[in-house]
Amino acid sequence: ARQAPPNVRRARKTALLAIVAATLLSAWLLSPGLARRSRAPLVRSLTVQPFEMQAEEMHPNLGSELAAAIGRRLGRLQTLTVKPWPPGATADPRALSRELGVDARLSGVATRRGQQLAIALRMVSTDGERALWEDVVAVPVGDLMWLESQIAQRVGTALDVPMSGRERAALARHMTESLD
């Protein structure tokens, strides 16, 4: 068998290594892991629908006041536009969300069992009404002042929007330490 001269063998090895390196680089750049890390947030605008209160012992305006407070708190994020839910709106939530021109709507259903209040949260896309995120926040009834910040923090984390340290602190801050 004839052997190729050393220069030809070296050129073949270099070409083969270049092909392997290009293939590996392409696979790394096109991998889903990189796409997940660098993707833009799916939700850039949001509205917060008044929460449904299935707990008769709770104040009747708690659902709308809590939703408005969470909306104001989330509105402090630079990368998220929060449009307020119109007071007293009776239109279909889907149609109203589309009319507001937002990407998603956050809603909640509160239930009370003994001294525990649980709010089932759900964020749905305006187009197609598909669920983007769901969670349940439960707090003792005596700790309702913590509820607003807990929900805002969870929603902010779920949205995966970039936040500064100041914005994170604003989501976590308690507006009052007094239940009254």
Side-chain angles (χ1 to χ4, degrees), residues 38-152:
S38 63
R39 71 173 166 82
L42 294 173
V43 176
R44 292 185 181 96
S45 59
L46 175 77
T47 188
V48 183
Q49 179 180 349
F51 292 175
E52 182 183 331
M53 301 303 290
Q54 294 183 346
E56 287 96 28
E57 311 86 34
M58 304 307 291
H59 191 279
N61 292 337
L62 180 61
S64 58
E65 291 172 4
L66 185 58
I70 291 167
R72 282 190 304 272
R73 196 177 282 249
L74 290 171
R76 295 180 184 145
L77 299 176
Q78 294 292 319
T79 55
L80 181 68
T81 301
V82 179
K83 295 190 178 178
W85 191 265
T90 58
D92 175 37
R94 295 175 195 148
L96 187 54
S97 297
R98 284 190 296 272
E99 187 179 308
L100 289 171
V102 294
D103 297 331
R105 177 181 75 252
L106 178 67
S107 61
V109 178
T111 55
R112 181 176 175 174
R113 288 197 173 77
Q115 292 302 308
Q116 195 78 3
L117 182 70
I119 298 184
L121 301 165
R122 186 167 198 232
M123 188 182 317
V124 295
S125 68
T126 302
D127 61 339
E129 288 292 307
R130 66 184 161 86
L132 301 174
W133 173 77
E134 294 177 326
D135 197 4
V136 176
V137 177
V139 295
V141 174
D143 288 343
L144 288 181
M145 62 189 161
W146 299 84
L147 190 58
E148 177 188 329
S149 64
Q150 282 187 10
I151 292 173

Side-chain angles (χ1 to χ4, degrees), residues 1-35:
R2 277 183 36 210
Q3 285 190 343
N7 290 343
V8 173
R9 283 188 297 212
R10 189 174 306 137
R12 286 182 185 162
K13 284 182 182 178
T14 303
L16 182 63
L17 284 173
I19 290 171
V20 169
T23 303
L24 290 174
L25 180 62
S26 296
W28 179 74
L29 288 173
L30 297 174
S31 73
L34 183 64

